Amino acid sequence: MRRNNGVSVVKNYRMTIQYDGTSYNGWQKQKNTTNTIQTVLEETLSVVLQEDIQIQGSGRTDAGVHAYGQTANFKCKSIQELKDFLLKINKKLPPDIKMVCIQEVSKDFHSRLSAVSKIYSYHIANGQRPSVFRRKYLYHYEKELNLELIRSAANQLMGTHDFRAFSSEKNPMKSCIRCLYDITIEKRDNEIVICYFGNGFLYNMARILTGTLLEIGAGERKMVEFEQIFYSGNRKFSGFLAPPNGLFLERVIYTKEEEAVLFTRTKHLV
């Protein structure tokens, strides 16, 4: 342990984490269960570092939601060779959680408070039954979809709006104003991928937006309803809550420079 004038040096570390959320009760640790991603990570880090480690995530993901690029940070006194440390952690983590990389960051870095934007993707198998190997990571939506209608509807959702009607947020005092920079809809073989790029996401927002877009694509809802939904601020007027298993947290962005580059290359985000 390194010391400066007899004082232990505390460092701040930023991690990028992948996980399959199928078997977990979400990201955030809870009082009534230890089966969360955050709990597993904290326990594993505490064993390896022999310190009580508390981590801060960039945000919560619900039970069943996955991540390619969740970000979290923690502070500790132990000094590690980061390459060796990464190997040790991944040997102790369960196979459905992986620490992709770790780096030392400034002491004021905070995974949630320092984030400037995020990217989520939602994956859909439309029509035929999906591959048995992909079924846990797709929502099987059987009704025929008009992708051009979905793209037109997505254009109306982009920009700065009050998204309260597209969330499960219960706190009436919390601001629900968010900005969606871009929404892309791509057909990849037998899958449809909807990608959301924005400065922040409310509770269940990506899943409710997806449910609403699918209803429009299936001809069950008209685009003219969007103005009424936004104006109402009422969850009951928006679409259904798409299941969690199709949703992935793709990336968390921490600089405006990185955000600007991604904004010009939206089709290459995932």
Side-chain angles (χ1 to χ4, degrees):
M1 184 182 300
R2 186 185 303 170
R3 293 176 179 270
N4 288 344
N5 298 322
V7 178
S8 298
V9 177
V10 176
K11 291 190 174 184
N12 192 16
Y13 295 95
R14 167 181 163 179
M15 309 174 287
T16 301
I17 305 140
Q18 290 180 354
Y19 51 84
D20 176 346
T22 304
S23 301
Y24 294 93
N25 296 329
W27 163 268
Q28 190 175 32
K29 60 183 177 183
Q30 302 168 32
K31 292 181 179 179
N32 60 344
T33 180
T34 59
N35 188 39
T36 71
I37 308 294
Q38 183 180 9
T39 301
V40 172
L41 281 167
E42 286 185 346
E43 290 178 350
T44 304
L45 286 165
S46 296
V47 168
V48 172
L49 292 169
Q50 297 185 351
E51 294 183 40
D52 181 19
I53 301 298
Q54 306 292 318
I55 67 176
Q56 302 290 336
S58 70
R60 308 174 188 178
T61 54
D62 296 336
V65 174
H66 320 291
Y68 285 118
Q70 172 69 285
T71 303
N73 70 288
F74 68 92
K75 295 180 180 180
C76 73
K77 298 175 184 177
S78 300
I79 305 301
Q80 300 279 341
E81 290 293 334
L82 293 184
K83 184 176 180 181
D84 293 339
F85 177 67
L86 192 64
L87 290 171
K88 288 180 184 177
I89 288 294
N90 282 324
K91 282 182 179 179
K92 288 193 172 292
L93 284 171
D96 49 9
I97 303 176
K98 178 183 178 181
M99 188 184 294
V100 179
C101 61
I102 183 169
Q103 64 187 106
E104 185 182 347
V105 289
S106 64
K107 289 185 179 179
D108 61 352
F109 175 86
H110 188 288
S111 293
R112 179 175 58 84
L113 300 178
S114 301
V116 296
S117 54
K118 292 181 181 179
I119 300 163
Y120 281 91
S121 64
Y122 197 94
H123 299 247
I124 301 150
N126 187 219
Q128 64 179 335
R129 186 178 177 183
S131 159
V132 295
F133 302 108
R134 290 280 296 151
R135 71 190 189 284
K136 293 192 295 182
Y137 312 107
L138 296 163
Y139 171 38
H140 183 203
Y141 191 79
E142 297 183 7
K143 297 176 183 177
E144 184 177 351
L145 291 171
N146 184 324
L147 294 189
E148 291 311 308
L149 272 179
I150 294 176
R151 290 189 178 103
S152 296
N155 286 335
Q156 295 192 40
L157 290 169
M158 287 189 283
T160 302
H161 304 281
D162 186 332
F163 283 96
R164 184 173 297 278
F166 295 94
S167 79
S168 299
E169 178 58 52
K170 302 297 184 183
N171 183 358
M173 303 305 293
K174 180 176 180 177
S175 172
C176 292
I177 296 174
R178 299 291 186 273
C179 181
L180 286 179
Y181 303 137
D182 206 359
I183 304 174
T184 60
I185 294 93
E186 296 183 71
K187 186 75 178 290
R188 301 178 184 174
D189 297 325
N190 294 321
E191 296 181 18
I192 296 168
V193 181
I194 304 176
C195 187
Y196 302 97
F197 179 17
N199 68 354
F201 291 83
L202 300 161
Y203 180 38
N204 285 338
M205 179 174 158
R207 292 167 59 192
I208 295 170
L209 288 173
T210 299
T212 307
L213 290 175
L214 290 176
E215 288 178 359
I216 286 175
E220 298 175 346
R221 183 184 290 270
K222 304 296 183 184
M223 280 187 284
V224 293
E225 296 178 41
F226 272 140
E227 184 176 353
Q228 298 170 328
I229 296 170
F230 278 122
Y231 181 77
S232 74
N234 194 322
R235 167 69 185 95
K236 72 179 183 179
F237 293 112
S238 56
F240 71 94
L241 177 66
N245 57 295
L247 184 63
F248 288 77
L249 172 57
E250 293 277 346
R251 191 166 180 170
V252 185
I253 298 117
Y254 287 96
T255 68
K256 287 295 182 181
E257 292 77 15
E258 181 186 7
E259 185 180 74
V261 170
L262 289 172
F263 187 70
T264 63
R265 300 190 343 235
T266 306
K267 290 187 178 180
H268 305 288
L269 290 177
V270 297

